[in-house]
Amino acid sequence: MKEIVGEGLARRLVEWGVDTIFGLPGDGINGLMEGFRRERENLRFVLVHHEEAAAFMAAGYAKATGKLGVCAATSGPGAIHLLNGLYDAKLDHVPVLAITGMQETSVLGTYYQQEVHVDRLYQDVAAYNLMITNPQQVPGVVDLAIRTALSQRAVAHLTFPNDIQVAAMDEDPYRHVGPGSAPSSLPTWSRPPLRPAPRDLERAAEVLRAGRKVAMLVGAGARGARHEVLAVADRLAAPIVKTLPGKHVVPDDHPLTTGGLGLLGTRPSEELMEECDTLLMVGTSFPYGKYLPPDGQARVVQIDADPSLIGMRRPTEAPVAADAKAALQELLPLLEPAADRSFLAKYQRAMDSWRDDMTSLQDASRDPIAPQYLMACVDEAASDDAILTCDSGTIATWAARHWTIRGGREFYLSGNLATMAPGLPYAIAMQHAFPGRQVVAFVGDGGFAMLMAEFLTAVRHDLPVKIVINNNNSYGQILWEQIILGYPEYAVRHRQPEADFSVWARGCGAFGAKVTDPKDLPAALREAFAHDGPALVDCDVNPNEPPMPGKVKYEQAKAFTEAFLRGQPHKAGILSTVARDKFNELRP
């Protein structure tokens, strides 16, 4: 049987070490699917129910493993559906290869059915983006696409017209006036740690040695450098603030950290940013500039493997383009132990108080169930090496503050795109990548409903993911964003009845439990987590629980009041919830 282009593509992917493709077939990629079938012993195709989920799975796989994530979709609408997940990969800087179909070359430009020029559509999302027009381009352009994705931590895209997919790999249909084929080389790639320039390190050390109130802000780029981050922080007596994507860089209960920053962060982190005179940023280009020290307050040192991300938020006096682990290892000997540790001690005391406040909100007696209590129960029931995936919304607040990084725990969400619905697809991809680990998706009812068919994907692929739904029957984050602008909420709560997603879980042949009484919650979670297959717990929580910022500003309080004066519905429930929260915080 002749080797067709679809098979040549599949073989080249296997040679690159790819063992999984997430996707959904269609007549626009039948030739590619035949190639994947011929390589099915080496290349697993994970069949999904929606292409958006396939792209999220590829992104989640790449985030958790550091390896290339691959997704595939048919021409036209299938390729369009991939876009949201691909933008998630692009904005969070993870390597993903998207493979799509295209109408055959003889009808392109004739308004043929589903004729969408995907290579043009993907111009913004993909760093490498090409429509294959000659079998001789394969495998050379496959190599280029994969190297681009891995080296730039970016999205690459290849689209194959139908006739090219089924053409013989050795077919050479054109008369050549130059090289007859795209050059290819051995499918190997390694990225050694980017070492810092000595003069850059010395300048950074000079700035840090001069600081009296030094703070560190670490992000996802510092993953794998926990020991080095802690060592430098201890040497400088610098509190460690973590971005949300960098949550598992250091343990949440470590005395050197003050937790997150921003709307979902902690009060101590926000206040120390208002006081520090020196800021060391490691592996992050933190996008919310208003939470960083104002220009002129603090001298900035920034370490990042991508030089283009340095100095984006604040003028940087000492830029260091290098791998975080390598740079911190070489920086440490250049630093002297801080003689004055009072700045750190001040915020350690503040963090102790903050942790007490957060614990007080995990009230088991509250009815309706407090979402903080739900997250605390998940935190207690999960293993010490569990992976937690999370959707965007109020659930991200509860996870940021009540999911404790300890041991080998990890945490993933859509960091920069902040899109809804990736939590379940992430969990499926990560459970596939790490079959021996516990993987928990903490999602909202809104996000789960968008891609809930993928729970059936987990069942059909025998992936024992655990899904916990924070069900407030509303789009909670949008609700509070409307209020914080000073407007009464509008069109953000669903009508009754509330959904019971546990019925769907049981209908899929999996474990499903519905919880409405806080007394039943711990046992339901323990049973779900002990179940040897996919399991889902749908928990009704208080829809009037506000995700309060770490430090309430006057403008926020003013807008909140204006929303009530303009006719905020459910104001009695909201006010009673806020009052109960404050009472719990003040209670001895």
Side-chain angles (χ1 to χ4, degrees), residues 56-283:
F56 279 140
M57 290 177 193
Y61 181 91
K63 288 181 181 185
T65 66
K67 298 191 293 186
L68 181 73
V70 182
C71 57
T74 190
S75 55
I80 293 169
H81 282 159
L82 289 178
L83 273 173
N84 196 38
L86 296 181
Y87 270 103
D88 180 46
K90 174 187 176 176
L91 269 61
D92 280 353
H93 307 286
V94 293
V96 166
L97 172 64
I99 301 168
T100 65
M102 178 73 74
Q103 275 61 36
E104 58 186 72
T105 56
S106 61
V107 300
L108 290 178
T110 67
Y111 305 105
Y112 199 78
Q113 184 184 34
Q114 294 188 343
E115 183 183 344
V116 175
H117 291 262
V118 188
D119 52 329
R120 301 177 194 171
L121 181 68
Y122 281 22
Q123 281 180 342
D124 179 61
V125 77
Y128 186 91
N129 181 27
L130 185 71
M131 181 173 71
I132 311 300
T133 55
N134 187 328
Q136 297 299 299
Q137 292 174 277
V138 183
V141 295
V142 175
D143 295 349
L144 282 168
I146 293 176
R147 283 200 176 92
T148 300
L150 290 171
S151 63
Q152 297 184 24
R153 296 178 297 176
V155 173
H157 170 240
L158 296 173
T159 188
F160 293 78
N162 273 331
D163 51 333
I164 301 295
Q165 296 173 32
V166 297
M169 272 291 289
D170 59 1
E171 187 171 321
D172 194 359
Y174 303 114
R175 177 181 177 183
H176 299 286
V177 295
S181 62
S184 62
S185 55
L186 291 175
T188 58
W189 181 87
S190 62
R191 184 176 185 167
L194 178 62
R195 312 302 302 190
R199 64 179 181 277
D200 292 344
L201 273 184
E202 184 52 52
R203 178 58 179 157
E206 177 186 333
V207 172
L208 294 169
R209 287 194 298 261
R212 293 295 175 264
K213 297 179 179 181
V214 183
M216 291 182 69
L217 177 62
V218 301
R223 287 173 178 168
R226 176 180 291 185
H227 175 76
E228 290 75 17
V229 168
L230 291 172
V232 168
D234 185 61
R235 182 71 56 90
L236 294 169
I240 301 169
V241 179
K242 301 186 292 181
T243 68
L244 196 51
K247 182 175 171 63
H248 68 244
V249 172
V250 299
D252 280 314
D253 57 0
H254 198 283
L256 286 173
T257 187
T258 58
L261 181 66
L263 188 63
L264 282 60
T266 71
R267 184 170 56 250
S269 289
E270 193 166 341
E271 291 178 345
L272 75 85
M273 285 291 170
E274 296 169 353
E275 185 179 354
C276 68
D277 62 20
T278 308
L279 179 63
L280 170 56
M281 299 175 66
V282 184

Side-chain angles (χ1 to χ4, degrees), residues 303-494:
I303 299 171
D304 203 292
D306 185 346
S308 70
L309 300 178
I310 295 178
M312 290 182 66
R313 310 301 172 199
R314 288 294 180 271
T316 302
E317 192 169 338
V320 180
D323 172 78
K325 187 180 183 75
L328 294 175
Q329 283 175 341
E330 296 186 31
L331 178 63
L332 185 63
L334 304 179
L335 302 174
E336 301 167 357
D340 182 359
R341 302 179 74 86
S342 59
F343 181 68
L344 171 62
K346 173 182 177 179
Y347 285 101
Q348 287 175 325
R349 293 190 297 271
M351 197 58 192
D352 288 341
S353 177
W354 172 265
R355 291 188 179 105
D356 288 342
D357 288 346
M358 293 302 99
T359 300
S360 74
L361 299 177
Q362 300 166 183
D363 187 349
S365 68
R366 302 268 292 268
D367 190 4
I369 297 169
Q372 299 95 324
Y373 177 60
L374 169 59
M375 188 69 253
C377 289
V378 172
D379 185 62
E380 183 178 351
S383 64
D384 281 352
D385 72 340
I387 298 172
L388 186 81
T389 68
C390 186
D391 273 355
S392 301
T394 56
I395 42 179
T397 302
W398 317 134
R401 294 175 178 174
H402 302 275
W403 170 253
T404 306
I405 296 298
R406 60 174 182 266
R409 284 185 171 183
E410 297 179 42
F411 175 75
Y412 297 95
L413 82 170
S414 176
N416 287 292
L417 186 60
T419 180
M420 292 179 68
L424 174 58
Y426 279 5
I428 290 171
M430 293 175 193
Q431 189 74 83
H432 171 75
F434 303 105
R437 293 182 67 176
Q438 185 182 74
V439 181
V440 182
F442 183 63
V443 299
D445 56 296
F448 181 77
M450 287 182 173
L451 292 174
M452 61 188 288
E454 302 309 330
F455 186 78
L456 187 55
T457 300
V459 175
R460 287 172 167 164
H461 288 275
D462 197 25
L463 295 169
V465 294
K466 313 305 176 190
I467 312 302
V468 180
I469 301 177
N470 181 90
N471 193 339
N472 57 18
N473 203 38
S474 66
Y475 297 106
Q477 187 69 31
I478 305 169
L479 185 159
W480 297 106
E481 287 169 345
Q482 289 180 351
I483 292 176
I484 212 66
L485 286 173
Y487 305 132
E489 66 175 74
Y490 179 69
V492 287
R493 299 192 196 232
H494 289 294

Side-chain angles (χ1 to χ4, degrees), residues 381-383 438 440 464-466 511 522-537:
S383 64
Q438 185 182 74
V440 182
V465 294
K466 313 305 176 190
F511 176 93
L525 289 171
R526 286 193 299 268
E527 186 177 2
F529 287 11
H531 185 69
D532 62 1
L536 181 150
V537 176

